[in-house]
Amino acid sequence: MEYVTLTVGELATNCYLVWGADKQAAVIDPGDEAERILAAASARGLTVRAVMLTHLHIDHFLALPALLEKTGARFVLPQEELPALDDSARNLMNWIAPAARFTLPRPTETVGEGDTVTVGQLTFTVWHTPGHTAGSSCYRCEDTLFCGDTLFQGSVGRCDLPSGNGAVLMNTLARLAVVTEDMTLLAGHGPATTLFDEQKTNPYLK
């Protein structure tokens, strides 16, 4: 597995372009700048086969419609995020970008805990990690966890937005705190870290 991080949009969201030796690629959390994402794929000779969201907040999906239109890729969404598709308060369109509201496309497939998403030679396993939103999820591929806004270096995602829940987030963090296999954590914002480092230093995992 190879990947490149593209930090996009006004809220500096990390969008990940992930691919295998066959050059079949997934885009995770295309927060903005669709043309830049497409250019990064083209420069590497990649074919985008899937666009995957960790959760349905506008700073993670603003480039989604353009990417789907230009690539014909599948749209993969955590199933608990379905109610946010038509709820501009829950998906933050009315908070972050009320002038840029649009109708979100329907997902090609919805996923839940333990499901797998195959993109060419890569297999992603879904971890349902609610708290930041009801459907917040991580995608594990090999020794890397694309964790959206569930966990950051030294911090966690806020839980005071629609469908967020602090008690649920604490349950999610308790689960992550006892995982015994280290992996690279690639979050929705901020630098890369590792699970073991966060277990040792992140106050929310204590």
Side-chain angles (χ1 to χ4, degrees), residues 8-11 13 29-32 53 55-65 81 84 87-102 104 132 149 189:
V8 300
E10 294 183 3
L11 296 185
T13 300
D29 287 349
D32 203 352
L53 299 188
H55 63 290
L56 205 64
H57 279 164
I58 192 170
D59 60 316
H60 290 251
F61 69 71
L62 192 56
L64 173 68
E81 293 295 85
D87 187 337
S88 60
R90 185 161 164 169
N91 63 39
L92 305 186
M93 282 196 202
N94 70 346
W95 181 52
I96 295 178
R101 291 185 189 174
F102 53 87
L104 278 162
H132 178 62
D149 288 2
H189 304 273

Side-chain angles (χ1 to χ4, degrees), residues 14-101:
N14 290 330
C15 169
Y16 298 101
L17 183 60
V18 191
W19 68 95
D22 59 358
K23 299 290 187 177
Q24 307 300 295
V27 174
I28 300 176
D29 287 349
D32 203 352
E33 303 180 53
E35 293 301 326
R36 182 177 164 212
I37 298 168
L38 290 167
S42 178
R44 293 165 175 82
L46 306 178
T47 301
V48 176
R49 296 297 191 190
V51 180
M52 304 159 59
L53 299 188
T54 59
H55 63 290
L56 205 64
H57 279 164
I58 192 170
D59 60 316
H60 290 251
F61 69 71
L62 192 56
L64 173 68
L67 285 180
L68 296 181
E69 179 183 356
K70 294 184 179 182
T71 66
R74 299 141 53 205
F75 170 25
V76 180
L77 181 71
Q79 59 192 17
E80 287 83 359
E81 293 295 85
L82 283 172
L85 282 169
D86 302 307
D87 187 337
S88 60
R90 185 161 164 169
N91 63 39
L92 305 186
M93 282 196 202
N94 70 346
W95 181 52
I96 295 178
R101 291 185 189 174

Side-chain angles (χ1 to χ4, degrees), residues 19-192:
W19 68 95
D22 59 358
K23 299 290 187 177
Q24 307 300 295
V27 174
I28 300 176
D29 287 349
D32 203 352
E33 303 180 53
E35 293 301 326
R36 182 177 164 212
I37 298 168
L38 290 167
S42 178
R44 293 165 175 82
L46 306 178
T47 301
V48 176
R49 296 297 191 190
V51 180
M52 304 159 59
L53 299 188
T54 59
H55 63 290
L56 205 64
H57 279 164
I58 192 170
D59 60 316
H60 290 251
F61 69 71
L62 192 56
L64 173 68
L67 285 180
L68 296 181
E69 179 183 356
K70 294 184 179 182
T71 66
R74 299 141 53 205
F75 170 25
V76 180
L77 181 71
Q79 59 192 17
E80 287 83 359
E81 293 295 85
L82 283 172
L85 282 169
D86 302 307
D87 187 337
S88 60
R90 185 161 164 169
N91 63 39
L92 305 186
M93 282 196 202
N94 70 346
W95 181 52
I96 295 178
R101 291 185 189 174
F102 53 87
T103 300
L104 278 162
R106 305 298 97 172
T108 311
E109 57 192 275
T110 57
V111 293
E113 173 68 29
D115 288 342
T116 57
V117 180
T118 300
V119 181
Q121 296 174 334
L122 300 180
T123 298
F124 298 84
T125 302
V126 179
W127 293 13
H128 180 216
T129 53
H132 178 62
T133 70
S136 285
S137 297
C138 305
Y139 297 102
R140 180 177 181 179
C141 187
E142 299 176 1
D143 61 353
T144 300
L145 191 69
F146 299 90
C147 55
D149 288 2
T150 296
L151 185 64
F152 305 128
Q153 183 186 61
S155 188
V156 296
R158 59 190 295 183
C159 56
D160 60 339
L161 299 170
S163 92
N165 185 302
V168 172
L169 179 61
M170 292 307 296
N171 287 335
T172 288
L173 297 175
R175 171 190 175 186
L176 296 177
V178 297
V179 173
T180 58
E181 183 180 356
D182 198 14
M183 58 194 76
T184 299
L185 296 184
L186 298 178
H189 304 273

